[in-house]
Amino acid sequence: MILTTMLALGLAAQGRCTTLDMRLPRPLAGWTRDGRGLDTGHAVTLPVRGGSVEARIAIRKAGTVGIAIDRAGWIDAFAAGNPRALRIASERRGPRCSTIHKILYYRMRPGTYRVTVNRLKGGRAKLMLTHD
């Protein structure tokens, strides 16, 4: 009985999430809006084929670009015509009480990039860009 009470108090102290994606930070506010193409301001759900998805993005302003995803997967970004993936600037878990699994950040200049996500399980993957 005492152990059960302690466990219940511990869970209450952790503040269990009753709703998801309700209090996202401003750069991720578009996560709940569906759009076309991988961009900022909205998310896009892409079909997974052979454990992978691929998208092209156009960066208009230099800066740190985040790629958010709703599941585990290996994310790479490539500058147009370059076979070598960009180096990751940083990686973070998704915000608490969100369906965002992780966000990988890259430093990008204006131009066209190819984003690939591999090692995916399931039939779809949800992605979104953020730009600092």
Side-chain angles (χ1 to χ4, degrees), residues 27-28 38-42 55-69 75-79 86-92 102-115 127-132:
L28 296 170
L38 183 53
D39 205 347
T40 60
H42 64 264
R56 300 227 183 270
I57 58 173
I59 302 299
R60 294 174 288 284
K61 181 180 171 188
T64 303
V65 176
I67 303 170
I69 187 166
I75 301 172
D76 283 310
F78 302 84
L86 298 176
R87 178 176 284 166
I88 297 169
S90 64
E91 178 179 357
R92 291 189 204 138
K102 69 179 174 181
I103 308 169
L104 287 164
Y105 294 90
Y106 298 91
R107 288 183 188 87
M108 294 183 176
R109 294 186 172 135
T112 303
Y113 293 82
R114 179 173 54 97
V115 173
L127 296 110
M128 186 178 120
L129 293 183
T130 68
H131 196 283
D132 295 344

Side-chain angles (χ1 to χ4, degrees), residues 13 15 22 30 49 86 101 126:
M22 293 301 291
R49 293 191 179 98
L86 298 176
H101 178 73
K126 183 176 178 179

